[in-house]
Amino acid sequence: MKTFKLTIREKNKKKTLSLDKGTLISKVLQDHGISLDTPCGGYGSCGKCRIRYLSSPPESTPAEKKNIPQESLDHGIRLACQHHVTEDLKIKIEGIVTQKGLHILSDGIELESELNPDIPGGIFIKNPLGLAVDIGTTTLVVTLHNLKSGKRLGIRSRSNPQSKYGTDIISRANAATESAEDAKTLQELIIKAINHLIRDLTKHPKDIVHVVMAGNTVMTHILLGLSIDSLVTAPYIAPVTDLQILEGADSGLAMHPRGKVTVLPGIGSFIGGDIAADLLVCREILPQNATYLLMDLGTNCEIVLKTPEFSVASSAPAGPVMEGAGITCGMQAEPGAVSDLFFNGKGRFQAVTIDNQAVSGICGSGLIHSIHTLWKQMLITDDGRFVEKIPRKGFRIDRHVYLSPQDIRAYQMAKGAIAATRKMLLQDAGLSPQDLDFLVLAGGFGHYIRPDAGMETGIFPSLPEDAFKYLGNGSLAGCELILKNKDYVFVVQQLAEETNHSELAGRPDFQEIYVMNMGVTRDEVQGGNLPQRGQRR
């Protein structure tokens, strides 16, 4: 087969490769350690994996014409996922290179419990170890425990290496269903990553006799090597939602071969074991007669309404925008990502970035807070439009980073889905926000949203701020409870079984409620109590 030379320039570095004809450029970059931001999984829909042709560029594709301004196309900007090596080429990296320090919410609430660990019979180890694992779409977090003392020995976290197939679960689910080879690779990536964290925590992985794991439905099915064909097509049924038990030797994990792996039960469709773990933690920290909404606003948005009489859950089809994908200058929660925007009262706006680094882009919380702040300063109207004095391109946060009208629209669509889902759960139960004792926020994204911004934009219901409870990584905290006391296995099973799954997005009235909630402000104030222009506080 004929080979061609591909010369790659990244910042001050240069490398030249000899490649077979037809090799996809994005795969070449990935294989050689240049991981461009590809939240869509390489389908061309996000427009993030930008390269500049220093040699003659190819014809632009429909995906490029949609996502890249004509001026940039004229200057040789293309998407790495859209083109193959068909001649000698010279390119320069233009997109954001990812995973250089993802900001991970690793810890949850540490709860005390009676020590009653599950140590399989026939294993005799002086200090048996246990492992709690939270498998997130974006991140992985593991904690190591001494099962005799109950003491946590360490915690490790990292980004989920499956992100090369897309930052959202739908992209990965599609990859797994379209190719058996990709499904196997996705499984191997997650197991290899967990093993790396295990070996970083202990030199004696064979002393691990019990592993408790939780994740969303897609993540756990991929981990277990189960088909998810029925999950990605209507009526979106999860093949397996029961508690799963594996022997160590069959799991692929670095642990005792006769050890036990417990994978927490799901609730239905896209409501997985991570939500069951969240409910377990809520049971321990809230009054038993409490009525509350649990909102886990990570890459996937799950919402549970729990009362003393019943429990019902649904997922909001918000898409990946809340993780920074689908935004013009969007990025994950990495150093340099705008996480908040303040008006200093002296006519200037001040961006807050993760780790106080130079502005690189906007993450999900930064998107919400920026829109909220600009609305408060009357630069964005109630229906999500910039006022006339803002340039057509949008509001410039930094020299190269700005919030565009398209970004606001993408946010409104996601926010509308979240607000519609929580409101329909309450409406179907004959309840209102005033009937809630608590709003419980779990997961990385919800943890960083200011209550005032969440309420005034309508993502959260209007409640007193002391009604807000933060679980942090509730999935991990739930796994740790079960690791310390095996009796909690039966409790989490009961919680999952008694929680009904409601597929709201497919109902005829969902679209109407969704559209009604697409404004920048909450509808409670849109109905007539909205402060007059100039009176926002």
Side-chain angles (χ1 to χ4, degrees):
M1 182 178 287
K2 191 171 183 179
T3 61
F4 295 99
K5 289 184 177 179
L6 174 65
T7 302
I8 304 167
R9 292 183 182 274
E10 182 195 0
K11 296 183 178 178
N12 297 321
K13 298 178 182 178
K14 173 183 173 182
K15 65 173 69 175
T16 300
L17 308 170
S18 293
L19 302 165
D20 292 336
K21 180 180 180 180
T23 306
L24 187 67
I25 293 176
S26 59
K27 186 176 188 306
V28 174
L29 299 178
Q30 183 74 47
D31 291 345
H32 287 81
I34 304 173
S35 299
L36 283 172
D37 192 12
T38 54
C40 70
Y43 286 89
S45 59
C46 70
K48 298 289 186 185
C49 59
R50 297 188 182 191
I51 56 175
R52 182 190 300 274
Y53 277 78
L54 303 177
S55 51
S56 179
E59 285 291 317
S60 53
T61 66
E64 290 168 331
K65 291 176 181 176
K66 178 182 178 182
N67 290 292
I68 302 175
Q70 186 59 48
E71 180 182 358
S72 297
L73 291 173
D74 293 341
H75 284 86
I77 300 295
R78 297 291 187 272
L79 299 179
C81 69
Q82 295 289 293
H83 297 284
H84 299 76
V85 177
T86 56
E87 58 183 343
D88 290 342
L89 298 174
K90 294 181 179 180
I91 63 172
K92 181 182 178 183
I93 304 302
E94 295 284 329
I96 297 174
V97 178
T98 62
Q99 310 303 354
K100 291 194 174 180
L102 190 65
H103 192 70
I104 299 173
L105 177 65
S106 55
D107 245 341
I109 297 173
E110 268 201 89
L111 298 171
E112 296 297 325
S113 69
E114 181 183 347
L115 197 59
N116 184 25
D118 189 348
I119 300 176
I123 297 178
F124 303 101
I125 295 173
K126 184 177 180 181
N127 288 303
L129 302 177
L131 195 78
V133 183
D134 168 48
I135 309 171
T137 310
T138 307
T139 60
L140 303 175
V141 186
V142 304
T143 55
L144 186 70
H145 299 254
N146 182 315
L147 295 183
K148 283 288 181 71
S149 67
K151 182 181 179 182
R152 183 199 273 189
L153 302 177
I155 180 169
R156 294 291 186 275
S157 61
R158 59 156 294 164
S159 59
N160 189 326
Q162 297 173 334
S163 60
K164 66 174 71 175
Y165 287 89
T167 56
D168 62 290
I169 58 172
I170 299 302
S171 296
R172 290 185 216 171
N174 287 336
T177 54
E178 291 170 5
S179 164
E181 182 180 348
D182 284 344
K184 185 65 176 174
T185 300
L186 284 162
Q187 181 188 30
E188 291 171 349
L189 282 170
I190 201 76
I191 291 174
K192 183 178 178 181
I194 294 170
N195 284 341
H196 177 79
L197 294 175
I198 290 173
R199 293 190 174 99
D200 196 33
L201 278 168
T202 177
K203 295 179 181 179
H204 307 285
K206 292 293 178 68
D207 288 350
I208 297 174
V209 299
H210 191 198
V211 177
V212 182
M213 317 177 82
N216 66 51
T217 315
V218 172
M219 291 297 98
T220 52
H221 277 68
I222 288 175
L223 170 76
L224 296 170
L226 300 172
S227 169
I228 52 174
D229 290 355
S230 63
L231 188 59
V232 297
T233 55
Y236 310 107
I237 297 173
V240 175
T241 55
D242 297 334
L243 183 88
Q244 298 294 301
I245 304 292
L246 286 75
E247 193 170 57
D250 299 326
S251 68
L253 297 176
M255 63 179 297
H256 196 291
R258 295 199 306 279
K260 182 177 184 179
V261 179
T262 302
V263 183
L264 299 196
I267 292 169
S269 186
F270 292 102
I271 314 290
D274 52 346
I275 303 304
D278 288 340
L279 289 171
L280 178 61
V281 176
C282 289
R283 177 185 179 273
E284 294 301 298
I285 67 171
L286 299 179
Q288 292 300 301
N289 61 347
T291 294
Y292 63 90
L293 269 182
L294 166 67
M295 300 180 74
D296 191 330
L297 305 180
T299 309
N300 190 40
C301 298
E302 303 103 340
I303 304 175
V304 182
L305 172 61
K306 184 83 169 67
T307 77
E309 290 79 32
F310 64 87
S311 180
V312 60
S314 188
S315 57
V321 68
M322 295 301 187
E323 290 283 347
I327 306 172
T328 307
C329 297
M331 63 184 291
Q332 290 186 334
E334 298 172 338
V338 173
S339 58
D340 209 335
L341 183 70
F342 289 103
F343 184 68
N344 65 8
K346 299 178 181 179
R348 299 191 65 178
F349 290 89
Q350 179 68 49
V352 178
T353 63
I354 293 175
D355 288 353
N356 202 30
Q357 298 294 305
V359 174
S360 299
I362 308 170
C363 66
S365 61
L367 175 69
I368 293 174
H369 292 146
S370 296
I371 291 173
H372 175 248
T373 297
L374 294 174
W375 172 78
K376 293 270 282 187
Q377 296 304 316
M378 296 178 291
L379 296 179
I380 294 178
T381 63
D382 300 337
D383 61 357
R385 301 176 189 273
F386 281 118
V387 297
E388 289 185 6
K389 66 180 179 180
I390 300 297
R392 188 181 223 173
K393 187 176 181 179
F395 179 84
R396 191 172 297 280
I397 293 175
D398 196 68
R399 185 180 175 189
H400 301 295
V401 176
Y402 63 93
L403 184 74
S404 73
Q406 293 78 19
D407 299 338
I408 298 175
R409 207 68 61 235
Y411 159 77
Q412 287 178 280
M413 293 172 69
K415 175 257 176 171
I418 295 169
T421 301
R422 68 165 176 82
K423 289 184 179 185
M424 289 177 72
L425 285 174
L426 288 169
Q427 177 183 291
D428 288 354
L431 301 176
S432 71
Q434 288 70 39
D435 296 309
L436 297 174
D437 298 308
F438 301 102
L439 175 65
V440 183
L441 298 174
F445 179 58
H447 186 81
Y448 296 108
I449 303 175
R450 286 187 278 109
D452 64 317
M455 287 190 289
E456 290 185 7
T457 57
I459 294 176
F460 303 150
S462 297
L463 294 169
E465 287 200 21
D466 61 3
F468 283 68
K469 300 294 180 184
Y470 294 89
L471 294 190
N473 192 331
S475 174
L476 183 72
C479 289
E480 290 182 321
L481 269 178
I482 293 168
L483 199 62
K484 294 175 184 177
N485 191 327
K486 60 187 178 184
D487 293 341
Y488 281 113
V489 169
F490 306 105
V491 179
V492 79
Q493 283 182 289
Q494 182 181 9
L495 288 167
E497 289 169 1
E498 70 183 19
T499 302
N500 294 315
H501 175 246
S502 181
E503 190 62 62
L504 298 176
R507 280 178 24 183
D509 55 343
F510 179 85
Q511 193 66 25
E512 180 182 352
I513 299 173
Y514 164 71
V515 171
M516 287 173 59
N517 285 277
M518 283 183 63
V520 168
T521 60
R522 61 179 183 258
D523 67 339
E524 288 94 339
V525 297
Q526 285 177 338
N529 297 322
L530 182 69
Q532 296 298 308
R533 304 292 288 175
Q535 293 183 343
R536 292 178 188 157
R537 294 180 291 276

